Amino acid sequence: MREKDEMSEITPPPPRRQPPTVRLRRLAAELRRLRQEAGLAQNEVTEKTDLNLATLYRIETAKTKPQLRTLNALLDLYGVTGSRRADLVLLQKEARQRGWLHSFEANLSDQYTALISLESEAEQVINYESLFIPGLLQTEDYARAVIRAVPPTATEAQVEDRVAARLQRQALLEGDTPLRLWAILDQAALYRTVGSNAIMRDQLAHLAQQAQRPHITIQVIPFSAGAHSGMLGSFIVLKFAPENSDVIYIDSMAGDLFLEKETDIRRYNDMCEHLRAIALSPADAVALLASPREDL
């Protein structure tokens, strides 16, 4: 009953388009759990600290990162000490960590930088593409041709920054614990010549090579599958450790969207299962990629 009363204490603000990082969501969940363990309602916390109710709500729902002094005040109130306190302070410091993104931010949208941040913290990515090769699997020349065309008004500096950022993202597929990638492509993405015949030949060869790696799975939905649910548009499902829910990313002409509601997550995961079922097996997809296109 207490939790129901707490939710009615303030009206939630409109949802943001750009989602919080995984670290910020973890910090928010921990602070909410600590308050509950201390047996305190939100209004009791505001009475014992300098926080107002709206700020506390935004902190506990990962709408904003608490300042260090605010975090310390909450941890003092909840009686948190030792290693648990140190871990939460570290989460606060890393919650908005940008890393290599900092040098590219001027030419990247907030939504795209949010995608890159979430992607860097994900354990697995499922990417369905109907017209393009997935960004994590693009060659440099293919990426440059796509970025120059979409949008066609981009300056050369913007193009090169976006190409560099896309290639940097691909570092997630390297190392001892690489990102697990499951890419599902409509066959149309393989047959649309982007840039030039030579660029497309290199891109298809790169796909075939990447498909051999144990942490990368590639499937292709053949033209013979006919109409299917993926024709509505491309999407990315970002999957994290079990304690964090999935995030759905959609890139559209209306702007980039992030979906975090349970119903949306379930719908897109169901769509992934449907697309996997109608697509060629990974082995058949590799065979298709390895067979040369006659028009190239």
Side-chain angles (χ1 to χ4, degrees):
M1 188 66 180
R2 175 183 290 272
E3 283 301 306
K4 184 176 180 181
D5 290 342
E6 288 171 2
M7 291 303 293
S8 63
E9 287 177 288
I10 92 169
T11 302
R16 299 184 308 168
R17 290 170 62 91
Q18 180 175 331
T21 65
V22 173
R23 291 182 182 92
L24 186 56
R25 290 197 291 170
R26 253 175 55 203
L27 179 61
E30 283 297 313
L31 290 175
R32 191 167 60 249
R33 186 179 300 115
L34 286 168
R35 175 177 58 76
Q36 293 165 356
E37 289 175 357
L40 297 170
Q42 286 180 326
N43 63 321
E44 291 175 306
V45 172
T46 61
E47 289 170 2
K48 298 175 184 293
T49 65
D50 292 331
L51 279 179
N52 61 53
L53 200 56
T55 300
L56 180 60
Y57 173 86
R58 291 181 64 80
I59 289 172
E60 289 194 353
T61 54
K63 298 294 188 295
T64 191
K65 186 183 86 167
Q67 295 182 355
L68 184 57
R69 65 174 179 273
T70 300
L71 177 62
N72 282 324
L74 291 173
L75 297 180
D76 287 343
L77 179 62
Y78 303 150
V80 181
T81 59
S83 61
R84 192 177 189 186
R85 185 180 185 119
D87 289 344
L88 292 173
V89 170
L90 182 62
L91 269 182
Q92 187 270 350
K93 291 178 180 178
E94 296 179 342
R96 291 294 186 195
Q97 198 172 60
R98 294 285 186 180
W100 60 265
L101 270 174
H102 180 72
S103 59
F104 298 118
E105 284 182 336
N107 285 324
L108 301 178
S109 69
D110 288 345
Q111 288 79 13
Y112 189 55
T113 57
L115 167 66
I116 295 173
S117 295
L118 289 171
E119 195 175 62
S120 69
E121 299 179 63
E123 292 188 347
Q124 182 184 19
V125 164
I126 303 173
N127 188 180
Y128 165 71
E129 291 290 344
S130 57
L131 296 174
F132 300 108
I133 305 302
L136 288 173
L137 297 174
Q138 292 178 4
T139 64
E140 180 175 349
D141 289 338
Y142 182 98
R144 184 172 287 107
V146 168
I147 291 168
R148 278 202 176 116
V150 186
T153 55
T155 66
E156 195 61 25
Q158 290 172 330
V159 168
E160 291 307 317
D161 270 4
R162 291 172 189 174
V163 170
R166 187 159 301 180
L167 296 178
Q168 184 65 46
R169 285 171 57 200
Q170 296 176 6
L172 295 172
L173 300 175
E174 309 301 329
D176 295 333
T177 55
L179 175 70
R180 289 181 288 122
L181 173 63
W182 195 306
I184 309 170
L185 292 73
D186 192 286
Q187 191 171 354
L190 305 180
Y191 276 79
R192 179 176 297 279
T193 300
V194 171
S196 68
N197 286 352
I199 288 173
M200 205 62 201
R201 280 196 302 269
D202 289 344
Q203 177 62 75
L204 295 177
H206 179 68
L207 273 182
Q209 183 183 47
Q210 293 293 93
Q212 303 293 336
R213 307 178 75 182
H215 56 287
I216 297 175
T217 302
I218 298 177
Q219 286 188 272
V220 177
I221 300 175
F223 290 137
S224 60
H228 58 84
S229 58
M231 294 170 70
L232 292 172
S234 304
F235 61 88
I236 297 174
V237 179
L238 299 118
K239 293 182 172 292
F240 305 92
E243 64 269 18
N244 293 295
S245 60
D246 299 351
V247 175
I248 312 300
Y249 172 77
I250 302 171
D251 182 5
S252 73
M253 289 294 292
D256 299 0
L257 301 175
F258 292 91
L259 307 179
E260 298 181 86
K261 290 182 180 178
E262 185 178 339
T263 52
D264 292 327
I265 292 169
R266 186 165 55 248
R267 184 171 74 254
Y268 275 90
N269 276 313
D270 287 346
M271 191 184 300
C272 286
E273 292 304 311
H274 169 70
L275 295 176
R276 283 169 170 167
I278 66 171
L280 299 175
S281 69
D284 288 341
V286 170
L288 176 64
L289 291 170
S291 60
R293 269 177 48 185
E294 293 181 0
D295 59 320
L296 294 181

